[in-house]
Structure formats: C-alpha cells, structure tokens
Amino acid sequence: MHIHEYQAKSLFRKFNIQTPVAILINNTENASKACAELGCDVWVVKAQVHAGGRGKGGGVILCHSIEEVENACNKLFGSNLVTPQTDAKGLPISQILIEGGQNIKRELYLGLLVDRQTQKITILASTEGGMDIEKVAAESPEKIIKFGVDPLGALTEDDCVSIASKLELEGELINQFTKTLLGLYEIFITKDVNLIEINPLITTIDNNLLALDGKIDFDDNALYRHEDIAELRDTSQEDEKENEASKYQLNYISLDGTIGCMVNGAGLAMATMDLIEHHGGSPANFLDVGGGTTAERVAKAFELIQTEANVRGILVNIFGGIVRCDLIAEGILQAIEKVGLNLPIVVRLEGTNAPEGLKLLDESTFNIHTEADLTQAAIKIVELSA
Ligand code: ADP
Ligand code: MG
C-alpha cells in the first residue's frame, strides 16, 4: 500500500526526521490562510498523488506570491496529474501540500528496501538525488552507495556516520543524517515497510538536512497489525479495476498489452503471460481467478478484461485440479451469456474432466477456439489478436 507525501512526512516527524513546514489544504479558498500561517515568502505547491515524477508532470510549482499559490491551486485541484510514473489518464488531485520554499544547497537520495538476493535490508544513498535518480541508477550505478543490514542485527550509529561521509556530509550535518537514517530504519522495521525513500534529502544554505519528499510502500500482508497505517489508505489513487476485482477475490493487475488473460493460480498466470510474450504477443492484464472458481467470478473476470482499452483477444487457461473442467466450461458459457463477448477467445482446459469441458465449449453456439495444449493456445490467441 502506498501513502501520500504529506502522510509520509508526518510519519517522518514522529521518528525525528526533519521536514519543511507545510500545511495540507483541500480547496483553493484555504490557500491564502495557509500561506500566511506558514510565514514564508516563497511557497511550493505540491499535488498529492500516489506517483513520483510530479515535478516533471507540473505537480510541484514554486510560487513567489499568494496570488501565484492560488493560481497554482486552481489549476491543480480537480484535475488529473500525469507524470512519467502514471498512465496517460493520470491520478486525481484532491489534496495539495503548501510547503515553505527551501534554499537548497544539495539534493541527496536516501532509501531502504528489502533485497531478496542478499536477504538483507539494503540502504541506498547517493549524492545525485533529485528528479533524475532513475537515470543515475541506469547510467552511472557507481554513484549509488549500497549498504546491507542483517535484519536480525541492527543499524549502528557508526554505520550511519560511514554512509554520511560517503555522501560528503560534514560537521553537524553528520548528526542530522544519523538521526534521519536511524529514524527511517525504525519506520522500516516497526511498520513492515517494503520500500521507504527520501528523494531529495536536501542540505540547505543554512546547513540543515531536510526530507523534501517522502515515499513509503507498506507490505499489504502486514497491514492487519498496523491499524494506524491502514487508515491512511486513499482508494481514489488506486486502480478502479483492481479494487473492483478484489471485491470478488480476483487478483487483477492492468497491463498495457492486447491479450486479456484469465488463469487459475498466480504461477500459471505468470507462465501464461511469458508464453504469450514468447510467441510475439503482449498481455493486457494479470488475472488469477483463484482455486474455487465460480461462474459469478468468471463472469466478473470477463467483464473486467473487456474494459481494458487495448484488449483484442482473450486467452483462458484453466488447470482443473480441485475444480472440474466441465464446471469451468459451464461457468465460461454462463459468463459469456451474461456479459457478452465481442472478442476472439481461446480456451485451454487441462486436468479433471478436460475432454468433457472442451466438448461443451466446442458444441456451444459461441465462437470459442478450444485447445488442450498451452503452447498451441498461446500461438492461436496471438494470431487472432494481431
Ligand atoms: P517528485 O519527486 O514527485 O517530482 P518532489 O517533492 O521530489 O516531487 O519535488 C520535485 C523537486 O521540486 C525537488 O527535487 C526539489 O528540487 C523541488 N522542491 C520540492 N519541494 C520543495 C520545497 N519545499 N522547496 C524548494 N524546492 C522544492
Ligand atoms: Mg521526489
């Protein structure tokens, strides 16, 4: 689960990480009051959406007067922000953070994530923070400092000081950095975080270290034990289809290809997507309909797949282990009857009662291509969706 920048910063402050003064507003009418309360003469208007790259997308606006702040808010409120990290539709802006403009000396990067390969919590840091950190990582990976911490051990002050020196921090800034990194680590451990990031972590002209941005991704599976974090969820920022799917216990993720996939089991779904790619196609979605598939769930799945803008064909790949393939076939037929079908469809059934299931589909009045072999099914759907 992702949260907004203002929510991340409020958590930062609770863990002794310094952030600039800021006030969150929900409409332009509150802008001038917020500016006055902050007592600055330069403000930064920051759209709160669950995506990075807001600066590049026009969602971070530097303002030198209250009038400029109001104009920026008017422009942003109610619109969708498109950034290099969103899709073409973007994300809705209903909250804006007005922040005191900072005199930035340096922009650093600091992040923590779980590195499954080394089985450690990995601290990533760089002197080249700011809006192009992805480019730095791709083109000059030597500029990214990596430091692994054993999750059963601890991060020490000495570790922090050593990373601070690699970031060329000096004097009082080393103490501030140590506090910041220990705070981030504490949040990471106590709140079951997948990824936490400050980009940029700035030093100011008057020698302060501040978190100018904040991104946190929490482990969904651990949310049950963090009510305070679960409360921060903002569903307006999440994919409507994925939310709708989860109501039916379907695991659904929109992708940008042309072949809709309906598969039971996450592993089989991944393998099916690989096979589609292998034969020159591209999946429009990931969908795991789960083990005990019902006709109602199959119908919902069809509905969701057919709302994908680019979808040109559907591949159904079901392995009947617990469920019987003839029941699945009946479910598919009922679903098509209910929601209609205007795309080519290939169905591959394997497992218990597969021949009976395939026969039911072949005998139906709908134009369904059946296959017993997965490779043949993938080749067929790529051909029909071209
Ligand atoms: P994003 O990463 O989504 O683009 P950031 O919050 O990192 O959004 O802001 C982008 C850039 O805008 C920062 O790298 C920084 O240069 C500038 N910026 C953001 N907040 C402030 C601020 N309070 N004062 C001055 N500059 C800021
Ligand atoms: Mg940023």
Side-chain angles (χ1 to χ4, degrees), residues 5 9 20-21 43-44 46 51-57 60 62 83 85 99-104 107 129-131 199-200 202 212-214:
E5 173 199 6
K9 283 178 166 169
V21 286
W43 300 270
V44 179
K46 306 182 81 174
R54 294 168 305 160
K56 287 186 177 155
V60 177
L62 184 70
T83 85
Q85 295 182 18
E99 193 164 72
Q102 304 300 311
N103 284 318
I104 302 174
E107 297 204 349
M131 297 206 278
N199 186 33
I202 59 158
L212 210 61
D213 192 6

Side-chain angles (χ1 to χ4, degrees), residues 138-213:
E139 290 172 12
S140 24
E142 74 283 356
K143 291 194 172 143
I144 310 277
I145 302 157
K146 280 192 188 177
F147 185 90
V149 186
D150 183 338
L152 298 178
L155 176 70
T156 66
E157 280 192 21
D158 283 351
D159 297 334
C160 299
V161 171
S162 134
I163 297 168
S165 87
K166 287 187 186 142
L167 289 172
E168 295 152 28
L169 293 170
E170 289 170 350
E172 172 50 22
L173 288 177
I174 297 177
N175 291 334
Q176 292 193 27
F177 179 81
T178 300
K179 255 190 175 172
T180 301
L181 183 49
L182 289 175
L184 271 193
Y185 190 78
E186 190 68 14
I187 298 174
F188 195 91
I189 296 289
T190 57
K191 304 289 180 190
D192 291 309
V193 167
N194 287 328
L195 172 101
I196 190 163
E197 199 177 73
I198 303 178
N199 186 33
L201 174 68
I202 59 158
T203 64
T204 61
I205 301 292
D206 49 7
N207 235 21
N208 266 315
L209 190 81
L210 294 174
L212 210 61
D213 192 6

Side-chain angles (χ1 to χ4, degrees), residues 44-250:
V44 179
V45 168
K46 306 182 81 174
Q48 298 300 292
V49 294
H50 283 192
R54 294 168 305 160
K56 287 186 177 155
V60 177
I61 305 172
L62 184 70
C63 299
H64 295 276
S65 69
I66 293 184
E67 199 190 344
E68 278 180 31
V69 170
E70 286 178 332
N71 288 341
C73 290
N74 271 331
K75 194 170 142 236
L76 295 175
F77 270 129
S79 72
N80 270 22
L81 185 68
V82 178
T83 85
Q85 295 182 18
T86 67
D87 60 15
K89 201 171 123 234
L91 290 167
I93 304 170
S94 61
Q95 294 171 305
I96 286 175
L97 191 66
I98 302 188
E99 193 164 72
Q102 304 300 311
N103 284 318
I104 302 174
K105 197 158 141 197
R106 295 177 63 203
E107 297 204 349
L108 311 173
Y109 172 92
L110 184 62
L112 269 76
L113 48 84
V114 177
D115 184 339
R116 286 166 210 284
Q117 214 152 21
T118 57
Q119 301 186 346
K120 284 186 171 162
I121 296 168
T122 299
I123 298 167
L124 298 175
S126 178
T127 55
E128 315 295 310
M131 297 206 278
D132 282 313
I133 191 70
E134 288 84 3
K135 207 168 137 203
V136 175
E139 290 172 12
S140 24
E142 74 283 356
K143 291 194 172 143
I144 310 277
I145 302 157
K146 280 192 188 177
F147 185 90
V149 186
D150 183 338
L152 298 178
L155 176 70
T156 66
E157 280 192 21
D158 283 351
D159 297 334
C160 299
V161 171
S162 134
I163 297 168
S165 87
K166 287 187 186 142
L167 289 172
E168 295 152 28
L169 293 170
E170 289 170 350
E172 172 50 22
L173 288 177
I174 297 177
N175 291 334
Q176 292 193 27
F177 179 81
T178 300
K179 255 190 175 172
T180 301
L181 183 49
L182 289 175
L184 271 193
Y185 190 78
E186 190 68 14
I187 298 174
F188 195 91
I189 296 289
T190 57
K191 304 289 180 190
D192 291 309
V193 167
N194 287 328
L195 172 101
I196 190 163
E197 199 177 73
I198 303 178
N199 186 33
L201 174 68
I202 59 158
T203 64
T204 61
I205 301 292
D206 49 7
N207 235 21
N208 266 315
L209 190 81
L210 294 174
L212 210 61
D213 192 6
K215 172 177 173 173
I216 311 181
D217 175 31
F218 296 93
D219 183 348
D220 291 346
N221 297 315
L223 281 177
Y224 73 94
R225 58 182 185 191
H226 301 292
E227 239 172 76
D228 56 330
I229 302 296
E231 269 171 16
L232 304 178
R233 184 165 175 196
D234 179 356
T235 49
S236 79
Q237 301 291 312
E238 295 172 3
D239 187 294
E240 274 170 46
K241 271 187 225 118
E242 288 168 25
N243 273 337
E244 182 66 13
S246 68
K247 289 185 201 152
Y248 291 81
Q249 288 114 45
L250 299 167

